[in-house]
Amino acid sequence: IFGAGKIDAADIEKIEEALVLSDISYKTAEELIESVKKRLAKNKDLTADIIKQALKDEVGDKISVKFPEIKDGNDKNIFIIVGVNGVGKTTTVGKLGKYYADRGKKVIIAACDTFRAAGKEQIEVWGQRTGIEVVSGKENQDPASVAHDAVQKFKEKDYNILLIDTAGRLHNKKHLMEELAKIKRVISKSYGSEPDEIFIVIDAGLGQNSLVQVEQFKEIVNITGVIVTKLDGSAKGGIIIDIISRMNLPVRFIGTGESPEDISEFSPEIFKDNLL
Amino acid sequence: GLSSKLEKVFKNLKGYGKLSEKNIEDSLKEVRLSLLEADVNYLIVKEFIESVKNKAVGEKVADSLTPAQQIIKIIRDELVELLGNNEPLNIKAKPPVIIMLIGLQGSGKTTTAGKLALYLHRMKRSVYLVPADVYRPAAILQLKKIGASINIPVYETPEENGKILQKPDEIVNSAIEIAEKHAYDTIIIDTAGRLEIDEPLMDELKLLKNKFNPNEILFVADSMLGQSAVTVAKTFNEALDISGVILTKVDGDARGGAALSIKKTVAKPIKFIGVGEKLSDFEVFYGDRIADRILG
Ligand SMILES: Nc1nc2c(ncn2[C@@H]2O[C@H](COP(=O)(O)OP(=O)(O)OP(=O)(O)O)[C@@H](O)[C@H]2O)c(=O)[nH]1
Ligand SMILES: Nc1nc2c(ncn2[C@@H]2O[C@H](COP(=O)(O)OP(=O)(O)OP(=O)(O)O)[C@@H](O)[C@H]2O)c(=O)[nH]1
Ligand SMILES: [Mg+2]
Ligand SMILES: [Mg+2]
């Protein structure tokens, strides 16, 4: 793509196109291009490979932020899983159950989506298939009360990890965000402290609105980490660069399919190699 | 928003008259940025800007408009024209009319099946819902509960000990037999979400199309989709020759540029939009409303 020698305007446009097409925000794409230009200013002979590697290095700089370890190592840990509709929360809770059970943790799941048709049955099936206990209430029961019951059971028995599945909700629905804040308050009250992790699930196929989602959910329930799903699709997940560098939040896990084992810890190395 | 940004671009313009190439170049930089922020596909933005530039050069500014307003009008008119308006559902065929919903995971197909059923029921049609998603846990139950909430009959996919006993084509086959027996005039098939790059699952859809010849194959797409909306829509359309698009979650605050990306790519009508989680949150698509959102 790139002619030998300097990077010209046509090359810049090709780089910008590749970056934007991967769902990196325009602003971040421009920053990456400026940094690459500075980095390669002294290079006499520029090849496509040199430019590509410089880009990868700049992306690497943006996403290799040091974050504290995930809070899953204590005797008791509570995770709440939140996000907009259809991004993969319930599936992710199912996968996380198996992920931690495989690592010797005693896991229990709370089915706090009491709103959507078959919301609780969906996670109950996951629990059955992976051998994980699920606490669910009645149809249309107040999700905060299901959460309360789950925390009680979690405290009484020797479970290590409580995973809480919540209903999908758009961040611009004030009453739904208030409901989520209430669920968190009830959990914190029953638990005696803040939940250990509140993960927002982001669908890799969605665009720039994902950043607004992270921002808005963070404002209401203090998001501590991000899980990006559907990276097995054709979307590249460039939004991850923005989430880490602009929201200063760690991407903890990625979802790569619909089976229980399709979850892995986020690796900045693997991500930047696959991005370009 | 974009109007105030464009007013800034033109504030040093001396008097009115014609739009010069330089004024247009400067203003189009802002428009391009705005469309990219709205998630319109990079390559589609490029084409759009070119076509707006050609329409704008040498245009005389209308007496009642500022140059910025003139540019906005050209852009908005172009967007509205590209997005088109809804076209009616193809339900004039001999009953039972078959409508099949397809799309990526989580886009809103199952919910939309219920919405479409309620919409057609209110038009005095007798609808039969068919759950053909045999993969997702509790997918069949989800559609059953949706049907029950609006009093619409749902095909009873045979299950035993949590195992589904029919494949999707067998489900549809049995459902059509029952529909004919009970004189249901409209069948809505809910299919499993799938990646457009999943060949076996795309073959499954092709099989359903070839066997049952649906009168409508509607691509259900999340209005928040990003840059990959083009490749996703293109692939589904090339595989199945879709008859239309339904955009969901339009009640969110995403700018919805995917609507333009999809429409430009498949050149098929966007027929409806989903505007909430209730089954009544369903509207016919009008391009001008979405155009204003995309412009921001
Ligand atoms: N290909 C793929 N599909 C996924 C992934 N994660 C979830 N899905 C699918 O996405 C769809 C939606 O998943 P859910 O877990 O129901 O999403 P949700 O966020 O709980 O949805 P709501 O509760 O309705 O808001 C399902 O078909 C899942 O199988 C992933 O990593 N890859
Ligand atoms: N706010 C809002 N939510 C919607 C809309 N349409 C669907 N949803 C929600 O989006 C989520 C996913 O909807 P589903 O109908 O399960 O999606 P699906 O395409 O059938 O998912 P898969 O079968 O897993 O591919 C649910 O939480 C729905 O309530 C809409 O127009 N607005
Ligand atoms: Mg869910
Ligand atoms: Mg479904």
Side-chain angles (χ1 to χ4, degrees):
Chain A
I1 316 169
F2 312 114
K6 296 222 178 303
I7 313 177
D8 64 19
D11 296 329
I12 299 280
E13 180 163 328
K14 277 273 165 269
I15 298 172
E16 182 187 84
E17 177 181 313
L19 294 176
V20 171
L21 284 177
S22 70
D23 283 312
I24 296 176
S25 72
Y26 185 78
K27 194 160 172 222
T28 298
E30 296 308 288
E31 284 174 15
L32 287 170
I33 290 173
E34 284 313 303
S35 315
V36 164
K37 276 187 184 165
K38 283 206 186 78
R39 190 185 272 258
L40 299 180
K42 300 266 173 34
N43 283 50
K44 288 263 183 285
D45 307 301
L46 291 175
T47 62
D49 286 338
I50 290 178
I51 296 173
K52 206 169 175 192
Q53 189 54 48
L55 264 174
K56 285 192 185 175
D57 292 341
E58 288 301 330
V59 169
D61 285 352
K62 280 195 183 282
I63 64 175
S64 301
V65 178
K66 269 275 157 269
F67 290 104
E69 289 292 310
I70 190 176
K71 295 209 184 81
D72 59 7
N74 283 333
D75 188 50
K76 291 266 189 243
N77 314 269
I78 295 186
F79 293 3
I80 310 181
I81 309 303
V82 306
V84 304
N85 307 73
V87 294
K89 298 176 294 302
T90 303
T91 304
T92 297
V93 168
K95 292 174 184 176
L96 280 174
K98 171 165 173 20
Y99 177 88
Y100 281 111
D102 287 349
R103 283 157 177 74
K105 304 284 183 183
K106 288 209 78 212
V107 186
I108 185 167
I109 290 170
C112 290
D113 177 358
T114 58
F115 170 75
R116 207 208 66 213
K120 74 182 177 72
E121 287 86 349
Q122 184 184 0
I123 191 63
E124 283 170 348
V125 173
W126 270 93
Q128 288 157 17
R129 291 185 187 174
T130 54
I132 308 267
E133 171 107 30
V134 176
V135 173
S136 47
K138 301 191 192 62
E139 193 107 15
N140 283 316
Q141 179 176 337
D142 179 1
S145 87
V146 178
H148 171 82
D149 296 346
V151 176
Q152 292 307 107
K153 183 160 189 182
F154 176 62
K155 291 193 325 195
E156 285 163 18
K157 303 270 155 67
D158 66 342
Y159 297 105
N160 306 121
I161 303 203
L162 168 59
L163 301 172
I164 303 187
D165 184 24
T166 62
R169 69 201 68 226
L170 292 180
H171 49 283
N172 58 328
K173 306 278 168 95
K174 201 157 184 297
H175 64 294
L176 294 180
M177 296 306 282
E178 285 173 358
E179 175 189 84
L180 188 59
K182 177 177 172 206
I183 292 172
K184 180 193 172 191
R185 277 198 306 275
V186 166
I187 290 168
S188 303
K189 193 153 187 288
S190 299
Y191 189 37
S193 64
E194 294 275 298
D196 298 277
E197 297 282 354
I198 302 186
F199 292 138
I200 183 171
V201 176
I202 294 294
D203 179 336
L206 304 187
Q208 298 302 305
N209 192 257
S210 289
L211 288 176
V212 182
Q213 293 168 22
V214 175
E215 211 171 58
Q216 297 280 312
F217 272 84
K218 194 165 194 297
E219 213 169 288
I220 305 287
V221 285
N222 189 30
I223 300 296
T224 59
V226 181
I227 298 176
V228 181
T229 60
K230 307 182 197 172
L231 276 167
D232 48 319
S234 43
K236 296 273 189 157
I239 203 83
I240 285 175
I241 302 172
D242 284 274
I243 289 174
I244 296 173
S245 63
R246 290 186 193 286
M247 303 282 143
N248 198 29
L249 281 172
V251 174
R252 296 298 195 184
F253 295 99
I254 61 169
T256 54
E258 303 185 75
S259 304
E261 56 277 1
D262 294 328
I263 188 164
S264 49
E265 288 177 31
F266 175 68
S267 150
E269 285 302 313
I270 296 176
F271 172 73
K272 73 172 175 162
D273 282 337
N274 286 334
L275 186 70
L276 300 160
Chain B
L2 185 60
S3 320
S4 53
K5 291 208 181 90
L6 292 187
E7 291 292 354
K8 277 211 192 82
V9 168
F10 284 108
K11 79 174 187 322
N12 295 319
L13 193 64
K14 293 192 175 49
Y16 294 152
K18 290 211 186 106
L19 291 171
S20 78
E21 190 143 358
K22 175 81 177 48
N23 319 135
I24 294 168
E25 292 280 353
D26 293 341
S27 64
L28 290 185
K29 281 203 186 76
E30 289 297 337
V31 176
R32 182 168 171 268
L33 188 51
S34 177
L35 293 176
L36 288 175
E37 286 170 351
D39 288 319
V40 180
N41 183 277
Y42 187 93
L43 297 168
I44 303 241
V45 170
K46 201 167 172 188
E47 280 176 55
F48 182 85
I49 295 293
E50 266 313 294
S51 111
V52 165
K53 187 160 148 203
N54 294 334
K55 289 209 167 85
V57 171
E59 263 242 346
K60 188 170 181 309
V61 181
D63 293 334
S64 56
L65 301 175
T66 65
Q69 288 169 338
Q70 183 80 357
I71 292 278
I72 297 244
K73 179 169 191 320
I74 293 171
I75 295 166
R76 191 178 179 282
D77 289 349
E78 181 77 358
L79 261 180
V80 171
E81 186 180 341
L82 287 173
L83 288 170
N85 272 327
N86 67 87
E87 277 173 32
L89 280 173
N90 176 14
I91 48 178
K92 293 224 161 55
K94 174 172 166 295
V97 164
I98 300 175
I99 299 173
M100 185 164 84
L101 301 184
I102 66 175
L104 293 174
Q105 289 90 341
S107 61
K109 297 173 294 301
T110 305
T111 309
T112 301
K115 290 177 179 184
L116 195 50
L118 182 60
Y119 176 83
L120 291 172
H121 172 75
R122 286 175 171 165
M123 282 189 167
K124 306 289 183 246
R125 297 192 65 97
S126 63
V127 185
Y128 196 41
L129 282 167
V130 182
D133 178 353
V134 303
Y135 309 101
R136 171 171 154 158
I140 293 175
L141 181 66
Q142 183 184 3
L143 192 63
K144 278 209 184 107
K145 286 185 182 271
I146 284 173
S149 72
I150 48 175
N151 239 320
I152 301 269
V154 182
Y155 171 72
E156 283 280 344
T157 310
E159 297 180 73
E160 198 179 271
N161 299 329
K163 195 163 183 297
I164 300 169
L165 303 178
Q166 281 183 318
K167 296 207 206 71
D169 60 321
E170 296 168 321
I171 291 170
V172 176
N173 202 24
S174 304
I176 290 176
E177 286 180 2
I178 295 178
E180 285 168 341
K181 191 152 92 195
H182 293 258
Y184 295 130
D185 60 29
T186 313
I187 294 175
I188 298 174
I189 305 170
D190 177 30
T191 66
R194 68 205 64 217
L195 299 176
E196 84 285 7
I197 53 176
D198 185 327
E199 295 202 7
L201 284 184
M202 291 305 283
D203 286 344
E204 176 186 280
L205 286 182
K206 288 177 191 167
L207 175 71
L208 291 179
K209 170 174 183 169
N210 291 335
K211 269 190 145 184
F212 305 110
N213 236 318
N215 305 87
E216 286 277 356
I217 298 179
L218 298 172
F219 175 53
V220 177
D222 193 320
S223 60
M224 302 184 271
L225 287 178
Q227 297 288 311
S228 64
V230 164
T231 182
V232 172
K234 182 164 188 277
T235 306
F236 272 104
N237 190 38
E238 285 177 349
L240 302 165
D241 188 18
I242 67 180
S243 58
V245 180
I246 299 180
L247 291 172
T248 62
K249 308 175 203 171
V250 179
D251 48 317
D253 60 8
R255 297 264 296 277
L260 180 62
S261 301
I262 292 171
K263 174 76 198 201
K264 198 106 205 318
T265 300
V266 303
K268 300 284 169 69
I270 300 175
K271 300 205 174 188
F272 298 98
I273 56 173
V275 292
E277 294 195 73
K278 298 201 299 300
L279 299 180
S280 50
D281 293 328
F282 193 59
E283 296 174 4
V284 166
F285 173 78
Y286 289 106
D288 54 356
R289 289 181 46 192
I290 300 294
D292 287 330
R293 255 177 103 119
I294 293 175
L295 278 181

